[in-house]
Amino acid sequence: MPGGYAGKFLEVDLTSRNVRDIKFSDEVLRQYLGGRGLATKVLWDRLGARWEEVDPLGPENILLMFTGPLTGYAPGARLCVSGKSPQSNGIVGSTIAGEFPVELKCAGYDGIIFTGKAENPVYLSVFDSDVEIKDASHIWGKDAKETLKVLVKEGREALAKSRPRRGVWKEPAAVYIGPAGERLVRVAAVVGKWAHAAGYGGYGAVMGSKNLKAVIAKGTGPLPEAADMEKAVEAAEAISRINLRYTHLRHWGTGYLGYDVGARLSAEPVKNWQEEWHDEKSYSADKFEPFWAKRFWGDFGCPVTCLKLAVIRSGPFKGAITDNPDYENQAYLGTNLGVFTAEGNIYLTALIDDLGLCGIQCGNVLGFAAELYEKGILTREDLGGIDLKWGDVEAFASLVRMIVERREIGDVLAEGTYRAALKISEMKSVDALKYAVVAKGIGIGAHGIRSGEDYPHHETYVCSVQGGDHTSPAYIPLDDDLSELTVALYDSGVVCWFNFFEEGTKDHIWGLIKAVTGWEITPEEWYGTSARRIIHTQRVALLLGGPDIRWDPKTHDDIPSKWYKPLKAGPYAGKAVDRKIIEEAKREYYEAIGWDENGVPKSEELRRLGLEEVDKKAEALRG
Amino acid sequence: MWHEGKIWPEASRVRVFMLVPGVEVPHLCVQCHDYPCVKACPSEALSISPETEAVIVDREKCTACGLCIEACPGDVPYIHPAEKYAVICDLCGGDPQCVKACSEGGWDALKLLKKSENYTYKVYAKTPEEITREVAVQLYGEVGEEVV
């Protein structure tokens, strides 16, 4: 068996409550590694034939929580969550940091496949090979802090009962959903450690649709053995040593960007992307720092520690606890809503953490609603009496609660920006889609392209198989450090991208893969075959879509219409995106990656990679 | 790593508890002067290293009865997850690897000092719950009480 793998996966049928171990061949593991890659393979094998009919929030969807061979060995351990996405109707590899994947591997499992739907709310407990589906009715409806408190308590009690003389038990690790996921809010995340989330994809709603509140894991074994332990440690240490020089992320996390991306790069969403520039010094990193109770908040084995712990100890937002907030939350729950105070942003971030929402997707839909209010399309009455003015923290907090409770307009917005835009267009006889900043149903990350100064390219959100996911950018050249073919490697590893940002770190990953698994995977193999299998399969699934929405590359391989309008202010005022350049970038990307002129993976390319079944389904897309 | 030759969080002499997010607390032997664990051992499995004054566990003699855990004011020792013996920090034979890792990682939170006879280390022998509560209140203020 290759090193780094526990050697088996858990399959849990929530309908029948049947639990069994399953295995994948070494060949499949070598081709797909784990995480996003293997999830794509499993989803296609099981659902591909009738992909368009599978309701992402129905019992026929499957939910995957996969580690990878490098998880726990590479600095920055992550878990990849996947399934058919209720946002894009495609496949999203959504990752979350923390100790959960390490515990799972130490328990002897590389991942978990959930099928079906539990009759009543449940949570899964994995204690080495003892796997139990437990009642969760007492924590259903509870927020993150209460949920985790109960899970830690019950988990430790169960551990102590099973081995009473062992001593004090360290807590099991947990991932869970908040009330948002329970109510199938499509912008709900899979959450851990209060402020960690797998947000993109909307898998919190998938957990909710399966009546699955949480998963806890405790593994008492060692991390599955590496093929060459000495070399594995050497490579991991080399990566860590480089990362230790990465002082800005270590010191401020991405939380120094809330001011920077707006003021310097002019690429930050301001008031639902009506602007991308601001010079609000009230929003610079030094204004957040006084709230940090802890500057270095690292997960298992992470030298980067981009998370900081923010606490508000006095004033109207007293009691709010969250991370930095990181840049995405600073932007989407700050500047995008016209909020330019650290307290307001920390409060809103803590609120969405507690309720189990994705800060990006939720902030995207909040900004969208606020612009519709500004334009008079949504009235105060529509909003249940809320005067949704830019910068009004309490007003936005009220709307967040309406979304989670699916009250009135909240029920529409809970469907995410794209679906809400369709609905509101219908309700108000307007084109609300022109206010939506989304790509293939997924709210776009907080990095604009109009100024041309930030990292995304013209093709980035147009061609990404994960839609608006700023952590999976379509990029030319395909083997660029920021390309989604590269990210697919980290997401399949499963490791944190932030540990592979600094120059020189990525060079060590091939050696680390060799040392841990024993496989000599070359960059040529990854970029030429493995990554393409994943990306092409994700692309075909995305275009098949369904059942409620499908994407036509001619229409939907595009940027939000707003971005064709010039920036209004700042050093890049007047800059806009040229439609011709988008078309060019799109064609160039299709060509480079092996898609035809309609954006469908070419038959010979799919067959070269052994993806005959994918090709058969792609045939229908080729028209 | 150092004792086991592999990555094994549940067999680590330094266990990091996270009963509350953000409140990660290392739990390990605090080097009491009066060695309640050694005194409580019925099978002479625990002894004191003449070089480092750390507690040494004789794996052959240890029966994993757990009396040392009960005797420890902080419930620090625990039984190894795969074998039948108590796990107690032995200061890695005088060259603690945690201190090295902490310094290499640039955190410099741990430093190697000579044991002092004039200081009651025992007061730091606390259960993970006690430490968590104290730190949570320090970090989170009044909310700290609620989240524990």
Side-chain angles (χ1 to χ4, degrees), chain A residues 243 246 249 253-254 304 306 490 495-502:
Chain A
N243 280 326
Y246 202 2
L249 258 198
T254 57
V304 175
C306 66
Y490 306 140
V495 299
C496 179
W497 194 8
F498 277 10
N499 272 278
F500 294 92
F501 260 11
E502 190 77 329

Side-chain angles (χ1 to χ4, degrees), chain A residues 149 220 250 294 297 313, chain B residues 8 10 22 24 105 139 146:
Chain A
K149 188 156 99 175
T220 65
R250 208 177 194 215
K294 198 175 199 174
W297 188 20
R313 293 171 186 276
Chain B
W8 198 344
E10 282 297 315
E24 292 82 3
L139 283 177
E146 288 165 35

Side-chain angles (χ1 to χ4, degrees), chain A residues 119 131 138 166 310 460 578:
Chain A
E119 200 176 335
V131 180
H138 57 307
R166 184 172 188 248
T460 290
D578 184 341

